[in-house]
Amino acid sequence: MGKQDKIFEEGNVSGLPFSFNQEVTEVFEDMIDRSVPGYNTTLRIIQQQTKNHYIDGSNIYDLGCSLGASTSSLLNALNGRSKVIAIDNSESMVRACTERFSKYIKTGQANFLKEDISYSEILNASIVVINFVLQFLNIKEREELMQKIYRGLVPGGILILSEKVHFDSKKRTEEISNIHHSFKAANGYSKLEISSKRDSLEGVLVTETESQHLDRAKEIGFKVSTKLMSNLNFLTYKFQK
Ligand code: GEK
């Protein structure tokens, strides 16, 4: 585990919107672990689903890999059978991954690309992971990325998608959001840290409802959707071609 996240201890001092810069990269593991309920479960799900659905000779993608936690789950499940192509557009995240995973890069088991996933090529894939990343793209980019993933998957291939969501009812959204804030408080974040982070994410992390995600996937052509994890306002789905 890296450094403890104290970025918003004094509030949003810079006043800038949230970004995945060097400062965030250094504390990212602590930040996501203390902020996203069910995050560690998603990593176990990715490993288990990859064991079940990997198709020989296909490609494996981790889109928006951050420090490579999902990439690790993929590598553990594959045990050298295929290469993982992990992509992130944050320079500091990709630099950190290149150091952390040097052994896997040398043996050709992993490749880390600094790219905007909106422009990445996805080909001959049996597993694509987007663990809490679609929420950072604009709505048009989400639609285009999901279509591209669908085209890039082999028949039977799967997309594992985790997202933060909101609910149709404003009251329910508020209620769950308050419980989420209690989860963060119980993990040591102060009221100021919680509100400053929320403000800095305004317009950067934009949630949709569960039905918006499901309708989009269905319209694109995904045949099967299975909810694998639901923890407050954080969900993981498997969509199969
Ligand atoms: C995990 N999946 O640990 N292109 C490439 N990367 C992007 C883009 C984009 N357009 N937009 C955002 N990112 C990881 C956790 S974190 C989730 C993913 C979170 C990247 C961004 O740089 C960051 O590293 C990641 O998506 C989101 O399983 O912080 O809530």
Side-chain angles (χ1 to χ4, degrees), residues 126-159:
S126 64
I127 317 279
V128 177
V129 170
I130 327 181
N131 214 30
F132 304 110
V133 181
L134 206 62
Q135 58 202 23
F136 294 105
L137 273 54
N138 70 42
I139 299 293
K140 187 165 173 272
E141 288 171 338
R142 295 179 196 191
E143 171 81 30
E144 288 170 359
L145 178 62
M146 290 287 287
Q147 285 172 352
K148 181 167 65 180
I149 292 169
Y150 183 80
R151 287 194 302 272
L153 281 168
V154 297
I158 61 163
L159 162 65

PDB file of all heavy atoms in Angstrom, residues 126-159:
ATOM      1  N   SER A 126     -11.456 -11.713 -25.268  1.00  0.00           N
ATOM      2  CA  SER A 126     -12.450 -12.538 -24.551  1.00  0.00           C
ATOM      3  C   SER A 126     -12.805 -11.914 -23.208  1.00  0.00           C
ATOM      4  O   SER A 126     -13.874 -12.199 -22.662  1.00  0.00           O
ATOM      5  CB  SER A 126     -11.990 -13.985 -24.370  1.00  0.00           C
ATOM      6  OG  SER A 126     -10.850 -14.088 -23.573  1.00  0.00           O
ATOM      7  N   ILE A 127     -11.910 -11.062 -22.671  1.00  0.00           N
ATOM      8  CA  ILE A 127     -12.212 -10.370 -21.405  1.00  0.00           C
ATOM      9  C   ILE A 127     -11.827  -8.892 -21.551  1.00  0.00           C
ATOM     10  O   ILE A 127     -10.687  -8.578 -21.905  1.00  0.00           O
ATOM     11  CB  ILE A 127     -11.375 -10.921 -20.213  1.00  0.00           C
ATOM     12  CG1 ILE A 127     -11.291 -12.459 -20.189  1.00  0.00           C
ATOM     13  CG2 ILE A 127     -11.828 -10.321 -18.886  1.00  0.00           C
ATOM     14  CD1 ILE A 127     -12.470 -13.175 -19.616  1.00  0.00           C
ATOM     15  N   VAL A 128     -12.778  -8.019 -21.274  1.00  0.00           N
ATOM     16  CA  VAL A 128     -12.477  -6.580 -21.188  1.00  0.00           C
ATOM     17  C   VAL A 128     -12.959  -6.108 -19.817  1.00  0.00           C
ATOM     18  O   VAL A 128     -14.096  -6.392 -19.427  1.00  0.00           O
ATOM     19  CB  VAL A 128     -13.173  -5.768 -22.302  1.00  0.00           C
ATOM     20  CG1 VAL A 128     -12.892  -4.278 -22.139  1.00  0.00           C
ATOM     21  CG2 VAL A 128     -12.745  -6.241 -23.683  1.00  0.00           C
ATOM     22  N   VAL A 129     -12.078  -5.418 -19.096  1.00  0.00           N
ATOM     23  CA  VAL A 129     -12.436  -4.904 -17.768  1.00  0.00           C
ATOM     24  C   VAL A 129     -12.475  -3.375 -17.818  1.00  0.00           C
ATOM     25  O   VAL A 129     -11.543  -2.742 -18.339  1.00  0.00           O
ATOM     26  CB  VAL A 129     -11.380  -5.351 -16.718  1.00  0.00           C
ATOM     27  CG1 VAL A 129     -11.600  -4.639 -15.384  1.00  0.00           C
ATOM     28  CG2 VAL A 129     -11.422  -6.861 -16.531  1.00  0.00           C
ATOM     29  N   ILE A 130     -13.582  -2.792 -17.327  1.00  0.00           N
ATOM     30  CA  ILE A 130     -13.610  -1.330 -17.087  1.00  0.00           C
ATOM     31  C   ILE A 130     -14.089  -1.166 -15.652  1.00  0.00           C
ATOM     32  O   ILE A 130     -15.289  -1.155 -15.380  1.00  0.00           O
ATOM     33  CB  ILE A 130     -14.583  -0.547 -17.994  1.00  0.00           C
ATOM     34  CG1 ILE A 130     -14.721  -1.137 -19.390  1.00  0.00           C
ATOM     35  CG2 ILE A 130     -14.145   0.901 -18.122  1.00  0.00           C
ATOM     36  CD1 ILE A 130     -15.677  -0.302 -20.241  1.00  0.00           C
ATOM     37  N   ASN A 131     -13.135  -1.066 -14.753  1.00  0.00           N
ATOM     38  CA  ASN A 131     -13.451  -1.015 -13.324  1.00  0.00           C
ATOM     39  C   ASN A 131     -13.484   0.444 -12.853  1.00  0.00           C
ATOM     40  O   ASN A 131     -12.443   1.027 -12.556  1.00  0.00           O
ATOM     41  CB  ASN A 131     -12.399  -1.837 -12.553  1.00  0.00           C
ATOM     42  CG  ASN A 131     -12.971  -2.538 -11.337  1.00  0.00           C
ATOM     43  OD1 ASN A 131     -14.152  -2.901 -11.337  1.00  0.00           O
ATOM     44  ND2 ASN A 131     -12.167  -2.740 -10.315  1.00  0.00           N
ATOM     45  N   PHE A 132     -14.688   1.009 -12.804  1.00  0.00           N
ATOM     46  CA  PHE A 132     -14.907   2.394 -12.344  1.00  0.00           C
ATOM     47  C   PHE A 132     -14.212   3.432 -13.228  1.00  0.00           C
ATOM     48  O   PHE A 132     -13.473   4.294 -12.733  1.00  0.00           O
ATOM     49  CB  PHE A 132     -14.457   2.542 -10.871  1.00  0.00           C
ATOM     50  CG  PHE A 132     -15.125   1.576  -9.937  1.00  0.00           C
ATOM     51  CD1 PHE A 132     -14.415   0.535  -9.347  1.00  0.00           C
ATOM     52  CD2 PHE A 132     -16.488   1.690  -9.676  1.00  0.00           C
ATOM     53  CE1 PHE A 132     -15.049  -0.376  -8.504  1.00  0.00           C
ATOM     54  CE2 PHE A 132     -17.119   0.779  -8.826  1.00  0.00           C
ATOM     55  CZ  PHE A 132     -16.392  -0.248  -8.247  1.00  0.00           C
ATOM     56  N   VAL A 133     -14.437   3.354 -14.522  1.00  0.00           N
ATOM     57  CA  VAL A 133     -13.769   4.270 -15.466  1.00  0.00           C
ATOM     58  C   VAL A 133     -14.753   4.942 -16.422  1.00  0.00           C
ATOM     59  O   VAL A 133     -14.599   6.132 -16.722  1.00  0.00           O
ATOM     60  CB  VAL A 133     -12.695   3.511 -16.287  1.00  0.00           C
ATOM     61  CG1 VAL A 133     -11.977   4.450 -17.246  1.00  0.00           C
ATOM     62  CG2 VAL A 133     -11.685   2.834 -15.366  1.00  0.00           C
ATOM     63  N   LEU A 134     -15.791   4.203 -16.865  1.00  0.00           N
ATOM     64  CA  LEU A 134     -16.748   4.768 -17.829  1.00  0.00           C
ATOM     65  C   LEU A 134     -17.324   6.087 -17.296  1.00  0.00           C
ATOM     66  O   LEU A 134     -17.574   7.025 -18.046  1.00  0.00           O
ATOM     67  CB  LEU A 134     -17.882   3.751 -18.051  1.00  0.00           C
ATOM     68  CG  LEU A 134     -18.629   3.805 -19.379  1.00  0.00           C
ATOM     69  CD1 LEU A 134     -17.712   3.526 -20.548  1.00  0.00           C
ATOM     70  CD2 LEU A 134     -19.819   2.847 -19.390  1.00  0.00           C
ATOM     71  N   GLN A 135     -17.475   6.152 -15.975  1.00  0.00           N
ATOM     72  CA  GLN A 135     -18.045   7.330 -15.299  1.00  0.00           C
ATOM     73  C   GLN A 135     -17.236   8.614 -15.514  1.00  0.00           C
ATOM     74  O   GLN A 135     -17.721   9.697 -15.251  1.00  0.00           O
ATOM     75  CB  GLN A 135     -18.168   7.032 -13.800  1.00  0.00           C
ATOM     76  CG  GLN A 135     -16.836   6.678 -13.147  1.00  0.00           C
ATOM     77  CD  GLN A 135     -16.970   5.872 -11.844  1.00  0.00           C
ATOM     78  OE1 GLN A 135     -17.977   5.217 -11.632  1.00  0.00           O
ATOM     79  NE2 GLN A 135     -15.962   5.939 -10.989  1.00  0.00           N
ATOM     80  N   PHE A 136     -15.989   8.479 -16.001  1.00  0.00           N
ATOM     81  CA  PHE A 136     -15.161   9.664 -16.261  1.00  0.00           C
ATOM     82  C   PHE A 136     -15.235  10.124 -17.719  1.00  0.00           C
ATOM     83  O   PHE A 136     -14.624  11.129 -18.082  1.00  0.00           O
ATOM     84  CB  PHE A 136     -13.698   9.391 -15.878  1.00  0.00           C
ATOM     85  CG  PHE A 136     -13.504   9.175 -14.401  1.00  0.00           C
ATOM     86  CD1 PHE A 136     -13.292   7.915 -13.882  1.00  0.00           C
ATOM     87  CD2 PHE A 136     -13.573  10.253 -13.528  1.00  0.00           C
ATOM     88  CE1 PHE A 136     -13.137   7.713 -12.515  1.00  0.00           C
ATOM     89  CE2 PHE A 136     -13.419  10.068 -12.157  1.00  0.00           C
ATOM     90  CZ  PHE A 136     -13.200   8.796 -11.656  1.00  0.00           C
ATOM     91  N   LEU A 137     -15.944   9.375 -18.574  1.00  0.00           N
ATOM     92  CA  LEU A 137     -16.061   9.748 -19.995  1.00  0.00           C
ATOM     93  C   LEU A 137     -17.364  10.514 -20.206  1.00  0.00           C
ATOM     94  O   LEU A 137     -18.312  10.337 -19.434  1.00  0.00           O
ATOM     95  CB  LEU A 137     -16.086   8.478 -20.866  1.00  0.00           C
ATOM     96  CG  LEU A 137     -14.742   7.910 -21.313  1.00  0.00           C
ATOM     97  CD1 LEU A 137     -13.799   7.650 -20.163  1.00  0.00           C
ATOM     98  CD2 LEU A 137     -14.949   6.623 -22.112  1.00  0.00           C
ATOM     99  N   ASN A 138     -17.416  11.344 -21.269  1.00  0.00           N
ATOM    100  CA  ASN A 138     -18.710  11.978 -21.532  1.00  0.00           C
ATOM    101  C   ASN A 138     -19.657  10.942 -22.166  1.00  0.00           C
ATOM    102  O   ASN A 138     -19.221   9.880 -22.600  1.00  0.00           O
ATOM    103  CB  ASN A 138     -18.569  13.281 -22.334  1.00  0.00           C
ATOM    104  CG  ASN A 138     -18.136  13.033 -23.774  1.00  0.00           C
ATOM    105  OD1 ASN A 138     -18.625  12.101 -24.426  1.00  0.00           O
ATOM    106  ND2 ASN A 138     -17.222  13.855 -24.270  1.00  0.00           N
ATOM    107  N   ILE A 139     -20.950  11.273 -22.185  1.00  0.00           N
ATOM    108  CA  ILE A 139     -21.965  10.267 -22.536  1.00  0.00           C
ATOM    109  C   ILE A 139     -21.742   9.708 -23.948  1.00  0.00           C
ATOM    110  O   ILE A 139     -21.861   8.500 -24.173  1.00  0.00           O
ATOM    111  CB  ILE A 139     -23.392  10.870 -22.395  1.00  0.00           C
ATOM    112  CG1 ILE A 139     -23.634  11.306 -20.941  1.00  0.00           C
ATOM    113  CG2 ILE A 139     -24.466   9.897 -22.867  1.00  0.00           C
ATOM    114  CD1 ILE A 139     -23.703  10.190 -19.904  1.00  0.00           C
ATOM    115  N   LYS A 140     -21.370  10.570 -24.888  1.00  0.00           N
ATOM    116  CA  LYS A 140     -21.143  10.115 -26.270  1.00  0.00           C
ATOM    117  C   LYS A 140     -19.959   9.138 -26.307  1.00  0.00           C
ATOM    118  O   LYS A 140     -20.011   8.104 -26.967  1.00  0.00           O
ATOM    119  CB  LYS A 140     -20.890  11.339 -27.165  1.00  0.00           C
ATOM    120  CG  LYS A 140     -20.812  11.016 -28.632  1.00  0.00           C
ATOM    121  CD  LYS A 140     -20.933  12.291 -29.462  1.00  0.00           C
ATOM    122  CE  LYS A 140     -20.678  11.998 -30.926  1.00  0.00           C
ATOM    123  NZ  LYS A 140     -19.255  12.087 -31.270  1.00  0.00           N
ATOM    124  N   GLU A 141     -18.903   9.484 -25.557  1.00  0.00           N
ATOM    125  CA  GLU A 141     -17.724   8.605 -25.516  1.00  0.00           C
ATOM    126  C   GLU A 141     -18.070   7.246 -24.891  1.00  0.00           C
ATOM    127  O   GLU A 141     -17.530   6.219 -25.296  1.00  0.00           O
ATOM    128  CB  GLU A 141     -16.602   9.259 -24.686  1.00  0.00           C
ATOM    129  CG  GLU A 141     -15.926  10.439 -25.367  1.00  0.00           C
ATOM    130  CD  GLU A 141     -14.971  11.187 -24.433  1.00  0.00           C
ATOM    131  OE1 GLU A 141     -15.102  11.095 -23.197  1.00  0.00           O
ATOM    132  OE2 GLU A 141     -14.098  11.898 -24.959  1.00  0.00           O
ATOM    133  N   ARG A 142     -18.959   7.256 -23.897  1.00  0.00           N
ATOM    134  CA  ARG A 142     -19.361   5.988 -23.252  1.00  0.00           C
ATOM    135  C   ARG A 142     -20.019   5.075 -24.278  1.00  0.00           C
ATOM    136  O   ARG A 142     -19.700   3.887 -24.384  1.00  0.00           O
ATOM    137  CB  ARG A 142     -20.349   6.247 -22.105  1.00  0.00           C
ATOM    138  CG  ARG A 142     -19.743   7.022 -20.979  1.00  0.00           C
ATOM    139  CD  ARG A 142     -20.739   7.287 -19.862  1.00  0.00           C
ATOM    140  NE  ARG A 142     -20.186   8.348 -19.009  1.00  0.00           N
ATOM    141  CZ  ARG A 142     -20.645   8.710 -17.838  1.00  0.00           C
ATOM    142  NH1 ARG A 142     -21.713   8.130 -17.325  1.00  0.00           N
ATOM    143  NH2 ARG A 142     -20.080   9.668 -17.147  1.00  0.00           N
ATOM    144  N   GLU A 143     -20.956   5.672 -25.033  1.00  0.00           N
ATOM    145  CA  GLU A 143     -21.697   4.915 -26.055  1.00  0.00           C
ATOM    146  C   GLU A 143     -20.715   4.334 -27.086  1.00  0.00           C
ATOM    147  O   GLU A 143     -20.751   3.149 -27.406  1.00  0.00           O
ATOM    148  CB  GLU A 143     -22.690   5.887 -26.719  1.00  0.00           C
ATOM    149  CG  GLU A 143     -23.405   5.373 -27.938  1.00  0.00           C
ATOM    150  CD  GLU A 143     -24.596   4.494 -27.588  1.00  0.00           C
ATOM    151  OE1 GLU A 143     -25.184   4.720 -26.529  1.00  0.00           O
ATOM    152  OE2 GLU A 143     -24.898   3.578 -28.382  1.00  0.00           O
ATOM    153  N   GLU A 144     -19.806   5.187 -27.566  1.00  0.00           N
ATOM    154  CA  GLU A 144     -18.853   4.751 -28.610  1.00  0.00           C
ATOM    155  C   GLU A 144     -17.895   3.692 -28.078  1.00  0.00           C
ATOM    156  O   GLU A 144     -17.567   2.735 -28.768  1.00  0.00           O
ATOM    157  CB  GLU A 144     -18.079   5.961 -29.148  1.00  0.00           C
ATOM    158  CG  GLU A 144     -18.959   6.846 -30.005  1.00  0.00           C
ATOM    159  CD  GLU A 144     -18.316   8.178 -30.377  1.00  0.00           C
ATOM    160  OE1 GLU A 144     -17.170   8.453 -29.956  1.00  0.00           O
ATOM    161  OE2 GLU A 144     -18.995   8.957 -31.071  1.00  0.00           O
ATOM    162  N   LEU A 145     -17.457   3.863 -26.821  1.00  0.00           N
ATOM    163  CA  LEU A 145     -16.532   2.875 -26.236  1.00  0.00           C
ATOM    164  C   LEU A 145     -17.227   1.522 -26.068  1.00  0.00           C
ATOM    165  O   LEU A 145     -16.662   0.481 -26.404  1.00  0.00           O
ATOM    166  CB  LEU A 145     -16.000   3.369 -24.876  1.00  0.00           C
ATOM    167  CG  LEU A 145     -15.059   2.401 -24.154  1.00  0.00           C
ATOM    168  CD1 LEU A 145     -13.786   2.135 -24.966  1.00  0.00           C
ATOM    169  CD2 LEU A 145     -14.679   2.929 -22.779  1.00  0.00           C
ATOM    170  N   MET A 146     -18.455   1.555 -25.579  1.00  0.00           N
ATOM    171  CA  MET A 146     -19.198   0.294 -25.387  1.00  0.00           C
ATOM    172  C   MET A 146     -19.411  -0.404 -26.736  1.00  0.00           C
ATOM    173  O   MET A 146     -19.314  -1.629 -26.838  1.00  0.00           O
ATOM    174  CB  MET A 146     -20.540   0.572 -24.703  1.00  0.00           C
ATOM    175  CG  MET A 146     -20.420   0.996 -23.261  1.00  0.00           C
ATOM    176  SD  MET A 146     -19.969  -0.353 -22.147  1.00  0.00           S
ATOM    177  CE  MET A 146     -21.485  -1.285 -22.097  1.00  0.00           C
ATOM    178  N   GLN A 147     -19.694   0.386 -27.776  1.00  0.00           N
ATOM    179  CA  GLN A 147     -19.870  -0.210 -29.117  1.00  0.00           C
ATOM    180  C   GLN A 147     -18.562  -0.834 -29.602  1.00  0.00           C
ATOM    181  O   GLN A 147     -18.542  -1.921 -30.166  1.00  0.00           O
ATOM    182  CB  GLN A 147     -20.318   0.851 -30.119  1.00  0.00           C
ATOM    183  CG  GLN A 147     -21.763   1.231 -29.958  1.00  0.00           C
ATOM    184  CD  GLN A 147     -22.155   2.413 -30.830  1.00  0.00           C
ATOM    185  OE1 GLN A 147     -21.310   3.051 -31.457  1.00  0.00           O
ATOM    186  NE2 GLN A 147     -23.441   2.714 -30.847  1.00  0.00           N
ATOM    187  N   LYS A 148     -17.466  -0.098 -29.355  1.00  0.00           N
ATOM    188  CA  LYS A 148     -16.149  -0.587 -29.797  1.00  0.00           C
ATOM    189  C   LYS A 148     -15.788  -1.882 -29.064  1.00  0.00           C
ATOM    190  O   LYS A 148     -15.262  -2.828 -29.662  1.00  0.00           O
ATOM    191  CB  LYS A 148     -15.097   0.487 -29.532  1.00  0.00           C
ATOM    192  CG  LYS A 148     -13.706   0.123 -29.960  1.00  0.00           C
ATOM    193  CD  LYS A 148     -12.768   1.304 -29.963  1.00  0.00           C
ATOM    194  CE  LYS A 148     -12.531   1.874 -28.587  1.00  0.00           C
ATOM    195  NZ  LYS A 148     -11.624   3.019 -28.598  1.00  0.00           N
ATOM    196  N   ILE A 149     -16.096  -1.933 -27.778  1.00  0.00           N
ATOM    197  CA  ILE A 149     -15.808  -3.147 -27.002  1.00  0.00           C
ATOM    198  C   ILE A 149     -16.629  -4.310 -27.560  1.00  0.00           C
ATOM    199  O   ILE A 149     -16.113  -5.414 -27.757  1.00  0.00           O
ATOM    200  CB  ILE A 149     -16.116  -2.929 -25.501  1.00  0.00           C
ATOM    201  CG1 ILE A 149     -15.120  -1.934 -24.913  1.00  0.00           C
ATOM    202  CG2 ILE A 149     -16.080  -4.249 -24.733  1.00  0.00           C
ATOM    203  CD1 ILE A 149     -15.464  -1.433 -23.520  1.00  0.00           C
ATOM    204  N   TYR A 150     -17.900  -4.039 -27.829  1.00  0.00           N
ATOM    205  CA  TYR A 150     -18.773  -5.103 -28.362  1.00  0.00           C
ATOM    206  C   TYR A 150     -18.192  -5.653 -29.667  1.00  0.00           C
ATOM    207  O   TYR A 150     -18.078  -6.867 -29.840  1.00  0.00           O
ATOM    208  CB  TYR A 150     -20.191  -4.559 -28.580  1.00  0.00           C
ATOM    209  CG  TYR A 150     -21.135  -5.634 -29.050  1.00  0.00           C
ATOM    210  CD1 TYR A 150     -21.687  -6.534 -28.153  1.00  0.00           C
ATOM    211  CD2 TYR A 150     -21.446  -5.768 -30.409  1.00  0.00           C
ATOM    212  CE1 TYR A 150     -22.534  -7.548 -28.578  1.00  0.00           C
ATOM    213  CE2 TYR A 150     -22.293  -6.774 -30.844  1.00  0.00           C
ATOM    214  CZ  TYR A 150     -22.826  -7.658 -29.919  1.00  0.00           C
ATOM    215  OH  TYR A 150     -23.656  -8.676 -30.356  1.00  0.00           O
ATOM    216  N   ARG A 151     -17.774  -4.739 -30.549  1.00  0.00           N
ATOM    217  CA  ARG A 151     -17.206  -5.180 -31.840  1.00  0.00           C
ATOM    218  C   ARG A 151     -15.909  -5.954 -31.621  1.00  0.00           C
ATOM    219  O   ARG A 151     -15.613  -6.903 -32.343  1.00  0.00           O
ATOM    220  CB  ARG A 151     -16.909  -3.970 -32.745  1.00  0.00           C
ATOM    221  CG  ARG A 151     -18.137  -3.303 -33.334  1.00  0.00           C
ATOM    222  CD  ARG A 151     -17.736  -2.355 -34.482  1.00  0.00           C
ATOM    223  NE  ARG A 151     -16.794  -1.317 -34.067  1.00  0.00           N
ATOM    224  CZ  ARG A 151     -17.145  -0.129 -33.568  1.00  0.00           C
ATOM    225  NH1 ARG A 151     -18.418   0.173 -33.402  1.00  0.00           N
ATOM    226  NH2 ARG A 151     -16.223   0.759 -33.224  1.00  0.00           N
ATOM    227  N   GLY A 152     -15.131  -5.563 -30.603  1.00  0.00           N
ATOM    228  CA  GLY A 152     -13.813  -6.172 -30.367  1.00  0.00           C
ATOM    229  C   GLY A 152     -13.868  -7.499 -29.623  1.00  0.00           C
ATOM    230  O   GLY A 152     -12.849  -8.198 -29.532  1.00  0.00           O
ATOM    231  N   LEU A 153     -15.031  -7.815 -29.046  1.00  0.00           N
ATOM    232  CA  LEU A 153     -15.141  -9.082 -28.310  1.00  0.00           C
ATOM    233  C   LEU A 153     -15.411 -10.234 -29.261  1.00  0.00           C
ATOM    234  O   LEU A 153     -16.159 -10.092 -30.239  1.00  0.00           O
ATOM    235  CB  LEU A 153     -16.294  -9.014 -27.300  1.00  0.00           C
ATOM    236  CG  LEU A 153     -16.047  -8.279 -25.977  1.00  0.00           C
ATOM    237  CD1 LEU A 153     -17.373  -8.068 -25.236  1.00  0.00           C
ATOM    238  CD2 LEU A 153     -15.068  -9.029 -25.074  1.00  0.00           C
ATOM    239  N   VAL A 154     -14.841 -11.405 -28.963  1.00  0.00           N
ATOM    240  CA  VAL A 154     -15.181 -12.606 -29.721  1.00  0.00           C
ATOM    241  C   VAL A 154     -16.531 -13.105 -29.177  1.00  0.00           C
ATOM    242  O   VAL A 154     -16.898 -12.774 -28.044  1.00  0.00           O
ATOM    243  CB  VAL A 154     -14.084 -13.697 -29.566  1.00  0.00           C
ATOM    244  CG1 VAL A 154     -12.755 -13.214 -30.135  1.00  0.00           C
ATOM    245  CG2 VAL A 154     -13.901 -14.117 -28.107  1.00  0.00           C
ATOM    246  N   PRO A 155     -17.272 -13.907 -29.948  1.00  0.00           N
ATOM    247  CA  PRO A 155     -18.539 -14.431 -29.426  1.00  0.00           C
ATOM    248  C   PRO A 155     -18.291 -15.187 -28.111  1.00  0.00           C
ATOM    249  O   PRO A 155     -17.359 -15.978 -28.016  1.00  0.00           O
ATOM    250  CB  PRO A 155     -19.012 -15.386 -30.532  1.00  0.00           C
ATOM    251  CG  PRO A 155     -18.347 -14.857 -31.775  1.00  0.00           C
ATOM    252  CD  PRO A 155     -17.019 -14.315 -31.345  1.00  0.00           C
ATOM    253  N   GLY A 156     -19.100 -14.904 -27.093  1.00  0.00           N
ATOM    254  CA  GLY A 156     -18.907 -15.528 -25.775  1.00  0.00           C
ATOM    255  C   GLY A 156     -17.998 -14.709 -24.870  1.00  0.00           C
ATOM    256  O   GLY A 156     -17.913 -14.978 -23.664  1.00  0.00           O
ATOM    257  N   GLY A 157     -17.327 -13.715 -25.445  1.00  0.00           N
ATOM    258  CA  GLY A 157     -16.431 -12.856 -24.646  1.00  0.00           C
ATOM    259  C   GLY A 157     -17.238 -11.975 -23.705  1.00  0.00           C
ATOM    260  O   GLY A 157     -18.423 -11.729 -23.933  1.00  0.00           O
ATOM    261  N   ILE A 158     -16.577 -11.505 -22.648  1.00  0.00           N
ATOM    262  CA  ILE A 158     -17.311 -10.716 -21.647  1.00  0.00           C
ATOM    263  C   ILE A 158     -16.668  -9.349 -21.364  1.00  0.00           C
ATOM    264  O   ILE A 158     -15.458  -9.177 -21.475  1.00  0.00           O
ATOM    265  CB  ILE A 158     -17.461 -11.459 -20.290  1.00  0.00           C
ATOM    266  CG1 ILE A 158     -16.093 -11.778 -19.647  1.00  0.00           C
ATOM    267  CG2 ILE A 158     -18.299 -12.716 -20.439  1.00  0.00           C
ATOM    268  CD1 ILE A 158     -16.180 -12.114 -18.162  1.00  0.00           C
ATOM    269  N   LEU A 159     -17.544  -8.421 -20.989  1.00  0.00           N
ATOM    270  CA  LEU A 159     -17.120  -7.128 -20.451  1.00  0.00           C
ATOM    271  C   LEU A 159     -17.492  -7.130 -18.971  1.00  0.00           C
ATOM    272  O   LEU A 159     -18.643  -7.410 -18.621  1.00  0.00           O
ATOM    273  CB  LEU A 159     -17.869  -5.999 -21.168  1.00  0.00           C
ATOM    274  CG  LEU A 159     -17.872  -4.640 -20.468  1.00  0.00           C
ATOM    275  CD1 LEU A 159     -16.469  -4.056 -20.379  1.00  0.00           C
ATOM    276  CD2 LEU A 159     -18.802  -3.671 -21.201  1.00  0.00           C
TER     277      LEU A 159
END
